[in-house]
Amino acid sequence: MKATVAGAPVSFGVFELTPEGAETLSPDAMLRILADSDYRGVDLGPLGFLGEGDVLRRRLAEYDLSLAGGWVQLPFSDDDAFAASIPSLHAALRVFSDAAAAGPARLPLPTLADDGSVARRGAPGRGEEVDPLAEAAWERLIANAERAADIVRAAGFEPTFHHHAGTFVESPAEIDRFLANVNVDLTLDTGHLFIAGGDPADAVRRWGSRINHLHLKDVDLAELRRVLAAGGGMPEVWSSGSFVAFGRGDVDLAAVMDAIAAQDYDGWIVVEQDVLNGPDVSLSAFQRDRAADQQINRDALRIWA
């Protein structure tokens, strides 16, 4: 298999929902951990976290890492909100162009995702029950996802679409409908599929020819179920420690990777262990724990990549 393994800021508590003012690892500390653990790429994280232009290029070159992808969340089911969000998509694409200017062997994939709703984000895995999407809204979602894909391709990149808990493309049935109607391939996220009641290894067999990006997570299913049963939303899932180092959870990593290898997958494998560092955790201890986990995660994949 020709896959390339990347890490992600979300594994270090840095992503769009990181609390304002929270103390986080610096970009260089994070990239040093990834480089020392033999990762070959990194996801973008929040726009600006890794820098832009020459700053971004120098930073990636210093640690011999390429940009793997980056999260671009858009309100696809709302025409007016989608139109207002297009400048943010162009801004993200400029950063992708910055990173790709040196001509890496494997280009990053702008990772499109739906914005979902407050109700869905508060009830991950139960979106179709708490906030079903009307037929007209589905038609808008499909049309706007195609428009976003056209913008991405016009910038010289191939898009990918990330199903995600708390959005309008969450469950296996919603993923099926999206793939049947939109000419964009899939970022398979093993953790978010688990939340939505899917089986990751079966998902590879089901959608394998449409998977062009992989976000690989392990999940402590007992902890996840505890959080969801208590009424927790995605912030509670992220802060609970439900996403664990490979081998410590319930995702059958070998089955997923064997199925991916059988598809002759040739793309990025982005290791994600979504965490939020609590206010009472020292940054040095947090950094030490994250470094240990990312080494475990990288070593677990060496059979395949």
Side-chain angles (χ1 to χ4, degrees):
M1 184 168 61
K2 299 176 182 177
T4 308
V5 180
V10 71
S11 299
F12 299 84
V14 179
F15 59 125
E16 288 72 11
L17 289 182
T18 301
E20 186 71 29
E23 190 178 17
T24 62
L25 267 65
S26 70
D28 292 289
M30 180 196 73
L31 295 177
R32 172 51 61 199
I33 289 170
L34 294 177
D36 289 347
S37 301
D38 196 31
Y39 290 81
R40 306 307 302 159
V42 63
D43 213 46
L44 184 62
L47 204 62
F49 175 66
L50 295 179
E52 300 180 17
D54 289 340
V55 171
L56 175 61
R57 285 190 290 272
R58 284 197 301 267
R59 186 167 266 150
L60 293 173
E62 179 179 354
Y63 299 99
D64 195 22
L65 295 167
S66 295
L67 187 65
W71 178 260
V72 184
Q73 183 172 310
L74 301 166
F76 290 121
S77 61
D78 183 324
D79 282 341
D80 291 340
F82 175 73
S85 73
I86 288 176
S88 69
L89 174 57
H90 285 295
L93 290 170
R94 286 193 292 272
V95 178
F96 280 99
S97 296
D98 291 342
R106 192 182 296 283
L107 286 174
L109 276 73
T111 309
L112 304 176
D114 178 56
D115 194 36
S117 68
V118 173
R120 283 204 170 209
R121 286 190 291 274
R126 297 189 294 113
E128 290 173 297
E129 171 191 342
V130 303
D131 190 13
L133 194 61
E135 189 64 28
W138 256 109
E139 292 175 3
R140 292 192 294 271
L141 186 152
I142 289 165
N144 288 327
E146 288 281 13
R147 293 186 185 103
D150 288 344
I151 292 170
V152 172
R153 291 184 178 120
F157 299 98
E158 182 58 27
T160 185
F161 183 84
H162 191 311
H163 63 96
H164 199 282
T167 75
F168 288 116
V169 186
E170 174 184 61
S171 70
E174 288 168 335
I175 298 169
D176 278 336
R177 183 170 185 177
F178 181 90
L179 292 176
N181 288 280
V182 182
N183 182 29
V184 178
D185 286 338
L186 184 70
T187 294
L188 176 65
D189 187 303
T190 57
H192 284 275
L193 193 69
F194 236 37
I195 293 172
D199 176 78
D202 178 65
V204 177
R205 292 184 286 268
R206 182 172 179 171
W207 301 310
S209 64
R210 296 292 302 277
I211 296 171
N212 66 345
H213 207 47
L214 184 64
H215 283 187
L216 202 59
K217 294 180 174 71
D218 202 351
V219 183
D220 181 335
L221 192 53
E223 180 62 17
L224 174 65
R225 286 172 174 163
R226 182 195 67 76
V227 172
L228 297 181
M234 285 311 298
E236 289 74 29
V237 171
W238 281 312
S239 61
S240 70
S242 293
F243 297 117
V244 293
F246 292 158
R248 296 177 180 172
D250 296 284
V251 172
D252 188 342
L253 180 69
V256 172
M257 291 307 300
D258 284 345
I260 283 285
Q263 295 284 341
D264 198 26
Y265 180 77
D266 183 3
W268 287 106
I269 296 173
V270 183
V271 174
E272 290 192 332
Q273 187 183 345
D274 301 10
V275 294
L276 282 174
N277 49 318
D280 56 342
V281 176
S282 76
L283 195 61
S284 60
F286 183 76
Q287 179 172 334
R288 182 179 63 249
D289 291 345
R290 300 289 71 75
D293 280 355
Q294 296 320 304
Q295 188 67 66
I296 290 169
N297 293 338
R298 181 64 189 95
D299 290 344
L301 296 176
R302 293 191 187 281
I303 298 171
W304 301 277

